[in-house]
Amino acid sequence: MARSLYEWLWQHEFWLPPGITWEDMQESEDTHYPQPRDLLLSIPFALILVVIRCAFERAIALPLSTKLGVRDKQRPKVQPNPVLETFYSTRHKNPEEGELLSLAKQCDLPVRKVEKWFRHRRNMDRPSLSKKFSEACWRFTFYIISFFTGLTVLYNKPWLWDHRECWTGYPQQPLQPSLFWYYMLELSFYWSLVFTLPFDVKRKDFKEQIVHHAATIFLISFSYCANYIRIGTLVMVIHDASDCFLEPTKIFNYMKWKKTCDSLFMIFSAVFLISRLVIYPYTVLYNTYYYSMEIFQPFFGYYFVNVLLIILQLLHVFWSCLIIHMVYKFILQGTMEKDMRSDTEESDKDEERNKIKEKEKNGTTYFSNVTSNGYIQRNGSEPLDNRAHLANGHAKER
C-alpha cells in the first residue's frame, strides 16, 4: 500500500510539464538533477544548526548582551503553593473571576493575593531580555551569512538578471553543487526554527509564523523536487534581504539605543516594503505565472507552486500593513511604539490589563482630559492646572 501511494504521489503528470517523464530526468556521470531523497539531509543539518545555535547563544550572545548593557528585569518569585501551581500547570495561566474566588477559598487567601500570585507566576515564565537578545543575534548572524551566500552563488547566474532564464531548458536544468548547498542551508535553517518553536519567545504573530515556516518548507522542498531551483533561489535571496535589517533593529531596541533602533526600523521598513510588495511580485509571481507559460503548458505542479507563492505574498501583505501602521505612528508621534509585528509577547497585554485593574481597585487611576486647563484627576485631589489660583485673580507658579 505504501509503495502504491508513493508511485501515485510521484506520477510525472503531477510534477513535470506535459511531455516530460522521470526517465528524461535520469542522472549521468556529468549531469545531476535534484532528487527527493536529498531533502532528508536537511533534518540532521537542522539538528546541527540547533546545536550551533545553543553554543552561539551561550558562548557569544549572552556575554555580548552583558557587555552591551542588556539587563534582565528582577521579577519577584512566588511563594510555593501546590494548589495554585497545579491549577497553573494543568488548567490555564490566567484564571477567570469565578475561578479566582474558588482558588482563594481553597487556599484561604484574599482574592487579590491569588490574582497577584498568578501575575507573578506568569512573569516568571516570560522570556528574559537577554533571551530575546540572544535569539535576535543568532537570526541576524544567520541571515547575514545566508544573504551574502545567496549573492555569491547567484551573482554570475543569468537568471538573476534575466528572469526568463529561469525556464530555459526546464525541467532538465542540471543541479550545481553551489545551488545544492545553498538550498540545504536555507531548508535546514527553517527546519531548525520549527524544532525550536516551543522553546523560542512566543510572539504576537505566532500563528502566522507557523504558517510562514510551513509554507516556506513546503515551497523549498517542492521547488527542489520539481527542479524549480532557479526561481527558488530568487525567493530566498529576496526574503533574506529585509530580515538582515529586522534583527539588528531588535538588538538595538533591547540595548535601549532608541535613535539607532528607530533609524534601522525605517531602513528595514523601506527594504521590506520594496522587496516584498514590489520586487517579489514582479521577480517571482509574475515570473512563475506568465514567463513559465512561454515554455510549457499549465500542469498540477505549476498551480501548486503558484498557490504556495501566493500564500507567502498574503503573509507579506499582512506584515506590511502592521509595518505601515507603525511607520505612520512614528511620523505622527516622532517615536516608535512597541513592535507590532513580532516583538511583543502575548503575556504583555495580560500584565498591563492586570495593572490597570489593580489601580482601579485602589482608586488611583488617572484619566486625561484634553482641555485648556491641563489634566483632571479622578479623586479630585489635584488642581486643574499646575498653578495655584489666588483670590485676587492672579496666578502664582508653584
Side-chain angles (χ1 to χ4, degrees), residues 243-282:
D243 290 330
C244 290
F245 293 97
L246 174 61
E247 301 306 326
T249 302
K250 294 180 181 180
I251 291 172
F252 284 109
N253 180 44
Y254 303 144
M255 293 167 55
K256 310 298 183 185
W257 291 22
K258 188 173 183 337
K259 291 184 178 180
T260 306
C261 173
D262 291 349
S263 301
L264 275 175
F265 182 82
M266 297 303 290
I267 296 173
F268 159 75
S269 301
V271 174
F272 186 96
L273 296 175
I274 292 172
S275 63
R276 306 293 179 93
L277 300 184
V278 180
I279 296 176
Y280 178 85
Y282 172 71

mmCIF file of all heavy atoms in Angstrom, residues 243-282:
data_model
loop_
_atom_site.group_PDB
_atom_site.id
_atom_site.type_symbol
_atom_site.label_atom_id
_atom_site.label_comp_id
_atom_site.label_asym_id
_atom_site.label_seq_id
_atom_site.Cartn_x
_atom_site.Cartn_y
_atom_site.Cartn_z
ATOM 1 N N ASP A 243 15.253 40.723 6.240
ATOM 2 C CA ASP A 243 15.499 40.155 7.572
ATOM 3 C C ASP A 243 16.852 40.574 8.130
ATOM 4 O O ASP A 243 17.041 40.583 9.350
ATOM 5 C CB ASP A 243 15.397 38.628 7.517
ATOM 6 C CG ASP A 243 13.966 38.154 7.297
ATOM 7 O OD1 ASP A 243 13.049 38.870 7.732
ATOM 8 O OD2 ASP A 243 13.766 37.095 6.690
ATOM 9 N N CYS A 244 17.786 40.900 7.255
ATOM 10 C CA CYS A 244 19.098 41.367 7.714
ATOM 11 C C CYS A 244 18.995 42.675 8.486
ATOM 12 O O CYS A 244 19.884 42.997 9.284
ATOM 13 C CB CYS A 244 20.042 41.559 6.516
ATOM 14 S SG CYS A 244 20.558 40.021 5.734
ATOM 15 N N PHE A 245 17.927 43.457 8.247
ATOM 16 C CA PHE A 245 17.738 44.731 8.956
ATOM 17 C C PHE A 245 16.780 44.599 10.138
ATOM 18 O O PHE A 245 16.835 45.410 11.065
ATOM 19 C CB PHE A 245 17.208 45.797 7.986
ATOM 20 C CG PHE A 245 18.193 46.190 6.927
ATOM 21 C CD1 PHE A 245 18.150 45.621 5.665
ATOM 22 C CD2 PHE A 245 19.178 47.130 7.192
ATOM 23 C CE1 PHE A 245 19.051 45.972 4.685
ATOM 24 C CE2 PHE A 245 20.101 47.498 6.220
ATOM 25 C CZ PHE A 245 20.039 46.914 4.959
ATOM 26 N N LEU A 246 15.899 43.610 10.106
ATOM 27 C CA LEU A 246 14.940 43.457 11.202
ATOM 28 C C LEU A 246 15.621 43.055 12.501
ATOM 29 O O LEU A 246 15.355 43.635 13.565
ATOM 30 C CB LEU A 246 13.882 42.421 10.830
ATOM 31 C CG LEU A 246 12.886 42.062 11.941
ATOM 32 C CD1 LEU A 246 12.095 43.293 12.371
ATOM 33 C CD2 LEU A 246 11.950 40.947 11.492
ATOM 34 N N GLU A 247 16.485 42.061 12.433
ATOM 35 C CA GLU A 247 17.094 41.548 13.667
ATOM 36 C C GLU A 247 17.988 42.565 14.371
ATOM 37 O O GLU A 247 17.911 42.694 15.592
ATOM 38 C CB GLU A 247 17.856 40.252 13.373
ATOM 39 C CG GLU A 247 16.996 39.142 12.799
ATOM 40 C CD GLU A 247 15.776 38.819 13.651
ATOM 41 O OE1 GLU A 247 15.864 38.920 14.890
ATOM 42 O OE2 GLU A 247 14.728 38.485 13.078
ATOM 43 N N PRO A 248 18.862 43.324 13.657
ATOM 44 C CA PRO A 248 19.627 44.347 14.387
ATOM 45 C C PRO A 248 18.746 45.451 14.955
ATOM 46 O O PRO A 248 19.104 46.064 15.964
ATOM 47 C CB PRO A 248 20.590 44.899 13.315
ATOM 48 C CG PRO A 248 20.023 44.492 12.009
ATOM 49 C CD PRO A 248 19.311 43.200 12.258
ATOM 50 N N THR A 249 17.577 45.699 14.331
ATOM 51 C CA THR A 249 16.633 46.658 14.907
ATOM 52 C C THR A 249 16.188 46.191 16.290
ATOM 53 O O THR A 249 16.128 46.976 17.245
ATOM 54 C CB THR A 249 15.407 46.810 13.986
ATOM 55 O OG1 THR A 249 15.837 47.237 12.696
ATOM 56 C CG2 THR A 249 14.437 47.823 14.556
ATOM 57 N N LYS A 250 15.895 44.906 16.411
ATOM 58 C CA LYS A 250 15.513 44.352 17.709
ATOM 59 C C LYS A 250 16.672 44.419 18.699
ATOM 60 O O LYS A 250 16.487 44.746 19.880
ATOM 61 C CB LYS A 250 15.065 42.903 17.543
ATOM 62 C CG LYS A 250 13.793 42.723 16.731
ATOM 63 C CD LYS A 250 13.446 41.246 16.632
ATOM 64 C CE LYS A 250 12.194 41.029 15.808
ATOM 65 N NZ LYS A 250 11.836 39.590 15.711
ATOM 66 N N ILE A 251 17.862 44.113 18.220
ATOM 67 C CA ILE A 251 19.035 44.127 19.098
ATOM 68 C C ILE A 251 19.230 45.506 19.720
ATOM 69 O O ILE A 251 19.420 45.641 20.940
ATOM 70 C CB ILE A 251 20.289 43.687 18.317
ATOM 71 C CG1 ILE A 251 20.194 42.199 17.967
ATOM 72 C CG2 ILE A 251 21.554 43.972 19.114
ATOM 73 C CD1 ILE A 251 21.285 41.713 17.037
ATOM 74 N N PHE A 252 19.173 46.560 18.898
ATOM 75 C CA PHE A 252 19.359 47.913 19.423
ATOM 76 C C PHE A 252 18.178 48.341 20.294
ATOM 77 O O PHE A 252 18.337 49.166 21.194
ATOM 78 C CB PHE A 252 19.574 48.902 18.276
ATOM 79 C CG PHE A 252 20.947 48.824 17.673
ATOM 80 C CD1 PHE A 252 21.138 48.300 16.403
ATOM 81 C CD2 PHE A 252 22.055 49.251 18.385
ATOM 82 C CE1 PHE A 252 22.406 48.220 15.849
ATOM 83 C CE2 PHE A 252 23.327 49.178 17.840
ATOM 84 C CZ PHE A 252 23.507 48.652 16.565
ATOM 85 N N ASN A 253 17.008 47.781 20.036
ATOM 86 C CA ASN A 253 15.863 48.059 20.899
ATOM 87 C C ASN A 253 16.107 47.495 22.298
ATOM 88 O O ASN A 253 15.827 48.158 23.304
ATOM 89 C CB ASN A 253 14.604 47.448 20.288
ATOM 90 C CG ASN A 253 13.377 47.698 21.142
ATOM 91 O OD1 ASN A 253 13.164 48.806 21.641
ATOM 92 N ND2 ASN A 253 12.579 46.666 21.334
ATOM 93 N N TYR A 254 16.631 46.277 22.371
ATOM 94 C CA TYR A 254 16.928 45.679 23.675
ATOM 95 C C TYR A 254 18.058 46.427 24.382
ATOM 96 O O TYR A 254 18.107 46.460 25.610
ATOM 97 C CB TYR A 254 17.315 44.210 23.510
ATOM 98 C CG TYR A 254 16.257 43.382 22.813
ATOM 99 C CD1 TYR A 254 16.608 42.350 21.936
ATOM 100 C CD2 TYR A 254 14.903 43.630 23.007
ATOM 101 C CE1 TYR A 254 15.643 41.588 21.291
ATOM 102 C CE2 TYR A 254 13.933 42.879 22.361
ATOM 103 C CZ TYR A 254 14.317 41.869 21.506
ATOM 104 O OH TYR A 254 13.359 41.124 20.866
ATOM 105 N N MET A 255 18.956 47.042 23.609
ATOM 106 C CA MET A 255 20.059 47.802 24.195
ATOM 107 C C MET A 255 19.644 49.208 24.607
ATOM 108 O O MET A 255 20.455 49.945 25.166
ATOM 109 C CB MET A 255 21.212 47.879 23.183
ATOM 110 C CG MET A 255 21.883 46.556 22.882
ATOM 111 S SD MET A 255 22.968 46.666 21.429
ATOM 112 C CE MET A 255 24.046 48.019 21.886
ATOM 113 N N LYS A 256 18.398 49.602 24.275
ATOM 114 C CA LYS A 256 17.872 50.934 24.587
ATOM 115 C C LYS A 256 18.558 52.031 23.773
ATOM 116 O O LYS A 256 18.585 53.187 24.196
ATOM 117 C CB LYS A 256 18.002 51.250 26.083
ATOM 118 C CG LYS A 256 17.473 50.169 27.011
ATOM 119 C CD LYS A 256 15.990 49.926 26.829
ATOM 120 C CE LYS A 256 15.471 48.890 27.814
ATOM 121 N NZ LYS A 256 14.063 48.537 27.586
ATOM 122 N N TRP A 257 19.101 51.692 22.614
ATOM 123 C CA TRP A 257 19.650 52.688 21.705
ATOM 124 C C TRP A 257 18.505 53.146 20.801
ATOM 125 O O TRP A 257 18.366 52.704 19.668
ATOM 126 C CB TRP A 257 20.793 52.109 20.893
ATOM 127 C CG TRP A 257 22.031 51.816 21.692
ATOM 128 C CD1 TRP A 257 22.135 51.607 23.031
ATOM 129 C CD2 TRP A 257 23.362 51.718 21.180
ATOM 130 N NE1 TRP A 257 23.430 51.359 23.391
ATOM 131 C CE2 TRP A 257 24.213 51.429 22.273
ATOM 132 C CE3 TRP A 257 23.917 51.838 19.912
ATOM 133 C CZ2 TRP A 257 25.587 51.254 22.127
ATOM 134 C CZ3 TRP A 257 25.286 51.665 19.754
ATOM 135 C CH2 TRP A 257 26.119 51.391 20.853
ATOM 136 N N LYS A 258 17.708 54.058 21.296
ATOM 137 C CA LYS A 258 16.437 54.374 20.659
ATOM 138 C C LYS A 258 16.609 54.974 19.265
ATOM 139 O O LYS A 258 15.935 54.567 18.312
ATOM 140 C CB LYS A 258 15.662 55.337 21.554
ATOM 141 C CG LYS A 258 14.243 55.575 21.087
ATOM 142 C CD LYS A 258 13.493 56.389 22.087
ATOM 143 C CE LYS A 258 12.043 56.592 21.693
ATOM 144 N NZ LYS A 258 11.731 56.457 20.315
ATOM 145 N N LYS A 259 17.494 55.956 19.118
ATOM 146 C CA LYS A 259 17.647 56.620 17.815
ATOM 147 C C LYS A 259 18.168 55.649 16.758
ATOM 148 O O LYS A 259 17.695 55.643 15.619
ATOM 149 C CB LYS A 259 18.587 57.823 17.955
ATOM 150 C CG LYS A 259 17.999 58.968 18.758
ATOM 151 C CD LYS A 259 18.934 60.164 18.777
ATOM 152 C CE LYS A 259 18.313 61.330 19.555
ATOM 153 N NZ LYS A 259 19.210 62.513 19.601
ATOM 154 N N THR A 260 19.140 54.820 17.151
ATOM 155 C CA THR A 260 19.662 53.822 16.211
ATOM 156 C C THR A 260 18.584 52.817 15.844
ATOM 157 O O THR A 260 18.444 52.433 14.676
ATOM 158 C CB THR A 260 20.871 53.096 16.830
ATOM 159 O OG1 THR A 260 21.835 54.053 17.260
ATOM 160 C CG2 THR A 260 21.503 52.158 15.811
ATOM 161 N N CYS A 261 17.808 52.400 16.847
ATOM 162 C CA CYS A 261 16.711 51.457 16.606
ATOM 163 C C CYS A 261 15.688 52.042 15.641
ATOM 164 O O CYS A 261 15.261 51.379 14.691
ATOM 165 C CB CYS A 261 16.052 51.090 17.933
ATOM 166 S SG CYS A 261 14.567 50.081 17.779
ATOM 167 N N ASP A 262 15.288 53.299 15.877
ATOM 168 C CA ASP A 262 14.297 53.927 15.003
ATOM 169 C C ASP A 262 14.820 54.077 13.582
ATOM 170 O O ASP A 262 14.088 53.854 12.610
ATOM 171 C CB ASP A 262 13.913 55.299 15.562
ATOM 172 C CG ASP A 262 13.108 55.198 16.854
ATOM 173 O OD1 ASP A 262 12.678 54.068 17.183
ATOM 174 O OD2 ASP A 262 12.928 56.223 17.526
ATOM 175 N N SER A 263 16.082 54.460 13.444
ATOM 176 C CA SER A 263 16.662 54.621 12.108
ATOM 177 C C SER A 263 16.714 53.295 11.360
ATOM 178 O O SER A 263 16.359 53.215 10.177
ATOM 179 C CB SER A 263 18.074 55.217 12.206
ATOM 180 O OG SER A 263 18.055 56.471 12.848
ATOM 181 N N LEU A 264 17.147 52.249 12.065
ATOM 182 C CA LEU A 264 17.211 50.925 11.432
ATOM 183 C C LEU A 264 15.818 50.417 11.079
ATOM 184 O O LEU A 264 15.637 49.752 10.049
ATOM 185 C CB LEU A 264 17.900 49.932 12.367
ATOM 186 C CG LEU A 264 19.426 49.900 12.310
ATOM 187 C CD1 LEU A 264 19.974 48.966 13.380
ATOM 188 C CD2 LEU A 264 19.914 49.465 10.942
ATOM 189 N N PHE A 265 14.839 50.737 11.918
ATOM 190 C CA PHE A 265 13.488 50.284 11.608
ATOM 191 C C PHE A 265 12.964 50.956 10.343
ATOM 192 O O PHE A 265 12.277 50.314 9.534
ATOM 193 C CB PHE A 265 12.537 50.561 12.770
ATOM 194 C CG PHE A 265 11.138 50.066 12.503
ATOM 195 C CD1 PHE A 265 10.824 48.732 12.706
ATOM 196 C CD2 PHE A 265 10.157 50.918 12.014
ATOM 197 C CE1 PHE A 265 9.544 48.254 12.434
ATOM 198 C CE2 PHE A 265 8.881 50.455 11.745
ATOM 199 C CZ PHE A 265 8.570 49.116 11.960
ATOM 200 N N MET A 266 13.266 52.217 10.150
ATOM 201 C CA MET A 266 12.829 52.904 8.936
ATOM 202 C C MET A 266 13.511 52.296 7.704
ATOM 203 O O MET A 266 12.883 52.124 6.649
ATOM 204 C CB MET A 266 13.133 54.399 9.027
ATOM 205 C CG MET A 266 12.400 55.113 10.154
ATOM 206 S SD MET A 266 10.609 54.944 10.071
ATOM 207 C CE MET A 266 10.237 55.934 8.632
ATOM 208 N N ILE A 267 14.798 51.944 7.839
ATOM 209 C CA ILE A 267 15.500 51.288 6.729
ATOM 210 C C ILE A 267 14.887 49.921 6.465
ATOM 211 O O ILE A 267 14.634 49.534 5.314
ATOM 212 C CB ILE A 267 17.003 51.161 7.050
ATOM 213 C CG1 ILE A 267 17.645 52.542 7.163
ATOM 214 C CG2 ILE A 267 17.713 50.331 5.975
ATOM 215 C CD1 ILE A 267 19.079 52.511 7.647
ATOM 216 N N PHE A 268 14.648 49.162 7.547
ATOM 217 C CA PHE A 268 14.014 47.850 7.388
ATOM 218 C C PHE A 268 12.660 47.970 6.708
ATOM 219 O O PHE A 268 12.321 47.179 5.818
ATOM 220 C CB PHE A 268 13.849 47.186 8.756
ATOM 221 C CG PHE A 268 12.791 46.121 8.779
ATOM 222 C CD1 PHE A 268 13.020 44.879 8.190
ATOM 223 C CD2 PHE A 268 11.545 46.355 9.366
ATOM 224 C CE1 PHE A 268 12.031 43.897 8.196
ATOM 225 C CE2 PHE A 268 10.567 45.384 9.372
ATOM 226 C CZ PHE A 268 10.805 44.149 8.783
ATOM 227 N N SER A 269 11.852 48.957 7.135
ATOM 228 C CA SER A 269 10.519 49.127 6.557
ATOM 229 C C SER A 269 10.607 49.373 5.059
ATOM 230 O O SER A 269 9.847 48.788 4.270
ATOM 231 C CB SER A 269 9.788 50.289 7.237
ATOM 232 O OG SER A 269 9.658 50.058 8.620
ATOM 233 N N ALA A 270 11.537 50.241 4.658
ATOM 234 C CA ALA A 270 11.687 50.539 3.231
ATOM 235 C C ALA A 270 12.117 49.304 2.453
ATOM 236 O O ALA A 270 11.555 48.989 1.391
ATOM 237 C CB ALA A 270 12.696 51.670 3.046
ATOM 238 N N VAL A 271 13.111 48.573 2.985
ATOM 239 C CA VAL A 271 13.599 47.375 2.295
ATOM 240 C C VAL A 271 12.507 46.313 2.240
ATOM 241 O O VAL A 271 12.303 45.659 1.208
ATOM 242 C CB VAL A 271 14.858 46.823 3.002
ATOM 243 C CG1 VAL A 271 15.284 45.494 2.382
ATOM 244 C CG2 VAL A 271 16.000 47.829 2.909
ATOM 245 N N PHE A 272 11.784 46.130 3.352
ATOM 246 C CA PHE A 272 10.726 45.123 3.396
ATOM 247 C C PHE A 272 9.630 45.436 2.382
ATOM 248 O O PHE A 272 9.221 44.566 1.592
ATOM 249 C CB PHE A 272 10.129 45.052 4.803
ATOM 250 C CG PHE A 272 9.117 43.947 4.985
ATOM 251 C CD1 PHE A 272 9.488 42.725 5.507
ATOM 252 C CD2 PHE A 272 7.787 44.137 4.631
ATOM 253 C CE1 PHE A 272 8.567 41.705 5.667
ATOM 254 C CE2 PHE A 272 6.853 43.122 4.790
ATOM 255 C CZ PHE A 272 7.246 41.905 5.304
ATOM 256 N N LEU A 273 9.128 46.661 2.402
ATOM 257 C CA LEU A 273 8.018 47.019 1.525
ATOM 258 C C LEU A 273 8.416 46.942 0.055
ATOM 259 O O LEU A 273 7.634 46.482 -0.783
ATOM 260 C CB LEU A 273 7.513 48.420 1.870
ATOM 261 C CG LEU A 273 6.901 48.576 3.268
ATOM 262 C CD1 LEU A 273 6.541 50.036 3.544
ATOM 263 C CD2 LEU A 273 5.664 47.699 3.431
ATOM 264 N N ILE A 274 9.633 47.372 -0.258
ATOM 265 C CA ILE A 274 10.081 47.328 -1.659
ATOM 266 C C ILE A 274 10.319 45.893 -2.099
ATOM 267 O O ILE A 274 9.890 45.476 -3.185
ATOM 268 C CB ILE A 274 11.357 48.178 -1.838
ATOM 269 C CG1 ILE A 274 11.033 49.658 -1.646
ATOM 270 C CG2 ILE A 274 11.970 47.954 -3.219
ATOM 271 C CD1 ILE A 274 12.246 50.560 -1.613
ATOM 272 N N SER A 275 11.004 45.098 -1.245
ATOM 273 C CA SER A 275 11.350 43.734 -1.640
ATOM 274 C C SER A 275 10.145 42.806 -1.666
ATOM 275 O O SER A 275 10.022 41.959 -2.558
ATOM 276 C CB SER A 275 12.431 43.165 -0.711
ATOM 277 O OG SER A 275 11.947 43.080 0.624
ATOM 278 N N ARG A 276 9.212 42.973 -0.695
ATOM 279 C CA ARG A 276 8.088 42.044 -0.592
ATOM 280 C C ARG A 276 6.862 42.462 -1.398
ATOM 281 O O ARG A 276 6.072 41.606 -1.794
ATOM 282 C CB ARG A 276 7.687 41.873 0.875
ATOM 283 C CG ARG A 276 8.821 41.470 1.825
ATOM 284 C CD ARG A 276 9.338 40.083 1.550
ATOM 285 N NE ARG A 276 10.425 39.738 2.457
ATOM 286 C CZ ARG A 276 10.264 39.091 3.610
ATOM 287 N NH1 ARG A 276 9.066 38.714 3.991
ATOM 288 N NH2 ARG A 276 11.316 38.813 4.364
ATOM 289 N N LEU A 277 6.676 43.773 -1.608
ATOM 290 C CA LEU A 277 5.484 44.233 -2.317
ATOM 291 C C LEU A 277 5.764 44.678 -3.754
ATOM 292 O O LEU A 277 4.819 44.893 -4.525
ATOM 293 C CB LEU A 277 4.825 45.389 -1.555
ATOM 294 C CG LEU A 277 4.350 45.089 -0.132
ATOM 295 C CD1 LEU A 277 3.627 46.300 0.451
ATOM 296 C CD2 LEU A 277 3.448 43.863 -0.089
ATOM 297 N N VAL A 278 7.037 44.821 -4.116
ATOM 298 C CA VAL A 278 7.388 45.249 -5.475
ATOM 299 C C VAL A 278 8.256 44.204 -6.166
ATOM 300 O O VAL A 278 7.882 43.639 -7.205
ATOM 301 C CB VAL A 278 8.107 46.626 -5.462
ATOM 302 C CG1 VAL A 278 8.472 47.044 -6.891
ATOM 303 C CG2 VAL A 278 7.231 47.688 -4.814
ATOM 304 N N ILE A 279 9.433 43.953 -5.586
ATOM 305 C CA ILE A 279 10.381 43.043 -6.236
ATOM 306 C C ILE A 279 9.839 41.619 -6.265
ATOM 307 O O ILE A 279 9.900 40.942 -7.305
ATOM 308 C CB ILE A 279 11.744 43.094 -5.516
ATOM 309 C CG1 ILE A 279 12.347 44.490 -5.645
ATOM 310 C CG2 ILE A 279 12.698 42.053 -6.095
ATOM 311 C CD1 ILE A 279 13.650 44.674 -4.900
ATOM 312 N N TYR A 280 9.322 41.138 -5.148
ATOM 313 C CA TYR A 280 8.815 39.766 -5.092
ATOM 314 C C TYR A 280 7.676 39.512 -6.088
ATOM 315 O O TYR A 280 7.718 38.527 -6.838
ATOM 316 C CB TYR A 280 8.375 39.429 -3.672
ATOM 317 C CG TYR A 280 7.783 38.053 -3.499
ATOM 318 C CD1 TYR A 280 8.589 36.940 -3.291
ATOM 319 C CD2 TYR A 280 6.402 37.862 -3.545
ATOM 320 C CE1 TYR A 280 8.042 35.672 -3.133
ATOM 321 C CE2 TYR A 280 5.849 36.606 -3.385
ATOM 322 C CZ TYR A 280 6.673 35.519 -3.181
ATOM 323 O OH TYR A 280 6.115 34.268 -3.039
ATOM 324 N N PRO A 281 6.636 40.366 -6.139
ATOM 325 C CA PRO A 281 5.574 40.099 -7.122
ATOM 326 C C PRO A 281 6.073 40.091 -8.566
ATOM 327 O O PRO A 281 5.643 39.249 -9.364
ATOM 328 C CB PRO A 281 4.583 41.247 -6.887
ATOM 329 C CG PRO A 281 4.808 41.650 -5.478
ATOM 330 C CD PRO A 281 6.285 41.476 -5.250
ATOM 331 N N TYR A 282 6.986 41.026 -8.895
ATOM 332 C CA TYR A 282 7.458 41.082 -10.287
ATOM 333 C C TYR A 282 8.466 39.969 -10.595
ATOM 334 O O TYR A 282 8.351 39.252 -11.593
ATOM 335 C CB TYR A 282 8.096 42.439 -10.577
ATOM 336 C CG TYR A 282 8.780 42.486 -11.923
ATOM 337 C CD1 TYR A 282 8.024 42.489 -13.098
ATOM 338 C CD2 TYR A 282 10.176 42.506 -12.024
ATOM 339 C CE1 TYR A 282 8.649 42.507 -14.332
ATOM 340 C CE2 TYR A 282 10.795 42.525 -13.251
ATOM 341 C CZ TYR A 282 10.034 42.529 -14.408
ATOM 342 O OH TYR A 282 10.657 42.536 -15.621
#
